[in-house]
Amino acid sequence: MQFEAHEITLRFQDLRVRCAAREERLAASILRHGQQSPVVAIRDGDELVLIDGYARCCALESLGKDLIEVVVLDLSAGEALLWRHRTAASARRSVLEDAWLVAALRDDFGLS
């Protein structure tokens, strides 16, 4: 599905380390080939909350693209964050991101 960028809430952006060089490479790729893989979001009430694809969203925004290809999962926010953690390539995660995720799951979702 396609959504406009302003419809997507970036609630969990602070759980990820931003890398300007990576975003620039993604922007160049998107400019040449278009958005190759969708970002992942969930519905939380009336909000569409981004779970995975923060770098892609930033790259698309830098290119002035307003439409974003999105896959919407039918999971709670906590379940979706755990899903993302399990399915993401570990080479693209930092220890800091793992710690931020654990803290969010504990503090925001009451998980132990």
Side-chain angles (χ1 to χ4, degrees):
M1 303 172 84
Q2 286 191 333
F3 291 91
E4 292 184 13
H6 69 86
E7 295 178 272
I8 302 170
T9 301
L10 307 178
R11 182 184 307 167
F12 300 112
Q13 68 184 346
D14 292 341
L15 301 180
R16 301 300 309 268
V17 173
R18 286 190 68 178
C19 177
R22 181 167 181 256
E23 288 173 19
E24 288 174 16
R25 287 191 305 274
L26 274 170
S29 175
I30 290 168
L31 193 56
R32 278 193 305 275
H33 308 290
Q35 184 182 349
Q36 295 293 301
S37 49
V39 300
V40 178
I42 60 161
R43 289 258 180 223
D44 189 12
D46 292 337
E47 289 186 315
L48 184 65
V49 180
L50 190 64
I51 296 298
D52 185 46
Y54 282 90
R56 277 170 278 164
C57 281
C58 290
L60 287 160
E61 181 182 4
S62 75
L63 294 170
K65 306 281 185 184
D66 191 42
L67 288 178
I68 299 174
E69 198 65 38
V70 181
V71 170
V72 181
L73 300 179
D74 187 22
L75 298 172
S76 70
E79 291 169 332
L81 289 172
L82 285 171
W83 170 86
R84 192 233 167 257
H85 181 75
R86 282 188 225 124
T87 59
S90 62
R92 292 175 31 193
R93 257 192 341 254
S94 74
V95 173
L96 247 148
E97 290 171 325
D98 286 346
W100 291 334
L101 174 64
V102 169
L105 292 171
R106 181 196 63 216
D107 298 343
D108 299 342
F109 303 103
L111 300 175
S112 60

